[in-house]
């Protein structure tokens, strides 16, 4: 069985630098926002170091301000239910005992999951761990800098920093769908589902609902996609 | 204290979610159909993240424009960091002009 190898980790670290920069910017705003809401400096930094999850941390921060602790924790947990989906996807590619694999899976974050995805459908765990290392460091560092310096939301907006995350996700997505029409179809469907759900519910639920688009994978694989398209258009024109 | 406990609870739930695959599946392997689904999770998730990031609050055309430019630069084979930087600069520039 393939073990965790240094070259893969190094490759992952290199790939992870870009998203790590994005994570730093997002962590800045998390640290600043948490400090502004009276969380102090130690708790946000510790929370970032241990939870290492932007979506859950922001959800808890926002939900705690307007509701009960139980509801806030439940929202934050639900927004991260996608990690359960990803973890199941990853399981076949992890190494060693169950505990060892559960530990390796802690490196799971969105961008690393995408980098670890190989063309054959399996996942490169070395790359997953490597890519998460710089993201974790800059996520924690960004939270500390944000809590200490408290940059205003207006400044972050004027600098265009809200573009950072969606831009990275789009670039990663373009790379993912470049070689697979099925992935493109699933992504488009996922985007539409997320957009539709956004009209009626919160982003966390919309994101979770969008993962249903991966069920496109249940459709039988009828050889290469271009052939299928050719056959269909041929039928229409004849 | 209330905030600390909430943060701790979210952290533990997060660990369990990430460990969910090994904990629930153990040594069992996914059947082929499930593997095909699983291989589509990454692109679907990215699409969902883009939509929720851009449409989660009020639509902001300066943000969408910057993200679009980053995507176009990436299609033109501009390296990842430069493509993202191009989008950020465009959005910041437009906001500066619009005041």
């Amino acid at each position: 069985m393939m073990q965790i190898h240094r070259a893969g980790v190094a490759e992952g670290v290199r790939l992870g630098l870009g998203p790590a920069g994005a994570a730093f910017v997002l962590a800045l705003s998390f640290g600043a926002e948490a400090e502004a809401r009276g969380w102090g400096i130690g708790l946000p930094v510790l929370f970032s170091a241990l939870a290492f999850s932007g979506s859950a941390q922001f959800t808890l921060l926002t939900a705690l301000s307007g509701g009960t602790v139980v509801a806030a924790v439940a929202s934050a947990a639900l927004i991260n239910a996608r990690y359960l989906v990803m973890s199941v996807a990853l399981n076949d590619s992890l190494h060693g005992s169950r505990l060892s694999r559960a530990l390796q899976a802690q490196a799971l974050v969105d961008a690393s999951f995408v980098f670890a995805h190989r063309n054959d459908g399996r996942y490169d765990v070395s790359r997953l761990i490597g890519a998460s290392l710089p993201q974790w460091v800059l996520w924690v560092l960004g939270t500390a800098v944000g809590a200490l310096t408290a940059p205003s939301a207006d400044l972050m907006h004027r600098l265009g920093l809200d573009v950072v995350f969606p831009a990275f996700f789009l670039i990663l997505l373009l790379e993912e769908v470049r070689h697979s029409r099925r992935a493109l179809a699933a992504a488009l469907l996922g985007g539409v589902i997320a957009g539709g759900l956004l009209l009626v519910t919160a982003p966390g639920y919309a994101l979770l609902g969008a993962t249903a688009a991966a069920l496109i994978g249940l459709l039988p694989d009828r050889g290469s996609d271009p052939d299928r398209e050719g056959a269909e258009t041929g039928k229409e024109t004849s | 204290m209330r905030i600390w406990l909430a943060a701790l609870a979210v952290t533990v739930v997060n660990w369990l979610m990430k460990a969910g695959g090994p904990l629930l599946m153990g040594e069992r392997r996914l059947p082929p159909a499930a593997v095909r689904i699983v291989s589509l999770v990454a692109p679907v998730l990215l699409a969902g993240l883009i939509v929720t990031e851009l449409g989660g609050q009020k639509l902001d055309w300066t943000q969408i424009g910057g993200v679009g430019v980053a995507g176009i630069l990436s299609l033109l084979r501009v390296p990842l960091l430069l493509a993202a930087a191009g989008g950020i600069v465009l959005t910041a520039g437009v906001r500066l002009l619009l005041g």
Side-chain angles (χ1 to χ4, degrees):
Chain A
M1 182 186 280
M2 196 180 67
Q3 292 299 318
I4 291 167
H5 51 96
R6 193 172 291 189
V9 174
E11 167 79 359
V13 169
R14 197 181 61 74
L15 289 167
L17 288 177
F24 181 80
V25 171
L26 194 68
L28 266 184
S29 48
F30 174 74
E33 189 69 25
E35 211 279 331
R37 292 183 190 217
W39 282 37
I41 293 165
L43 175 59
V45 174
L46 197 63
F47 193 24
S48 280
L50 295 176
F52 187 28
S53 167
S55 46
Q57 290 176 233
F58 269 107
T59 303
L60 184 69
L61 188 63
T62 318
L64 262 185
S65 303
T68 67
V69 171
V70 174
V73 171
S75 303
L78 199 69
I79 205 166
N80 268 358
R82 69 179 188 281
Y83 282 126
L84 191 58
V85 180
M86 288 193 261
S87 180
V88 169
L90 203 61
N91 188 41
D92 287 0
S93 305
L94 297 170
H95 317 299
S97 69
R98 190 178 285 203
L99 179 67
S100 160
R101 283 180 294 137
L103 285 175
Q104 290 160 38
Q106 296 306 316
L108 203 48
V109 285
D110 297 312
S112 304
F113 178 71
V114 174
F115 287 138
H117 189 202
R118 298 192 316 206
N119 287 334
D120 62 359
R122 288 178 64 83
Y123 294 85
D124 185 328
V125 181
S126 307
R127 219 191 275 172
L128 177 90
I129 292 171
S132 288
L133 285 173
Q135 292 182 79
W136 183 82
V137 171
L138 286 191
W139 178 245
V140 177
L141 190 67
T143 308
V145 173
L148 287 168
T149 63
S152 74
D154 178 57
L155 177 67
M156 307 272 286
H157 182 77
R158 269 190 286 153
L159 292 175
L161 296 180
D162 52 330
V163 169
V164 173
F165 250 88
F168 267 107
F169 289 143
L170 179 60
I171 294 168
L172 295 179
L173 176 62
L174 291 172
E175 199 53 49
E176 277 279 317
V177 302
R178 203 184 285 272
H179 305 293
S180 165
R181 293 222 177 157
R182 182 177 278 224
L184 178 62
L188 288 174
L189 181 61
V192 169
I193 294 175
L197 288 177
L198 263 189
L199 297 175
V200 293
T201 183
Y205 305 107
L207 187 54
L208 187 62
T211 58
L215 292 174
I216 279 188
L218 279 178
L219 296 175
D221 198 356
R222 286 188 281 171
S224 60
D225 291 341
D227 288 343
R228 188 175 69 199
E229 189 174 271
E232 279 169 8
T233 51
K235 197 168 68 184
E236 279 168 19
T237 51
S238 61
Chain B
M1 196 62 202
R2 170 175 162 268
I3 300 176
W4 283 86
L5 284 176
L8 180 69
V10 169
T11 301
V12 172
V13 169
N14 204 40
W15 287 340
L16 290 175
M17 294 274 192
K18 289 186 180 182
L23 295 182
L24 294 174
M25 298 296 295
E27 301 299 326
R28 277 171 294 166
R29 300 269 136 174
L30 290 171
V35 171
R36 288 206 303 273
I37 293 173
V38 149
S39 71
L40 292 177
V41 170
V44 163
L45 194 74
L46 284 170
L49 283 164
I50 295 165
V51 170
T52 50
E53 288 265 340
L54 294 180
Q57 288 141 10
K58 199 168 165 290
L59 288 184
D60 178 345
W61 296 109
T62 58
Q63 183 195 24
I64 293 172
V67 173
V69 164
I72 291 167
L73 290 176
S74 167
L75 285 177
L76 296 173
R77 293 282 174 196
V78 173
L80 185 141
L81 280 174
L82 271 181
I88 296 164
V89 168
L90 179 98
T91 297
V94 169
R95 283 174 186 165
L96 189 68
L97 288 175
L98 295 177

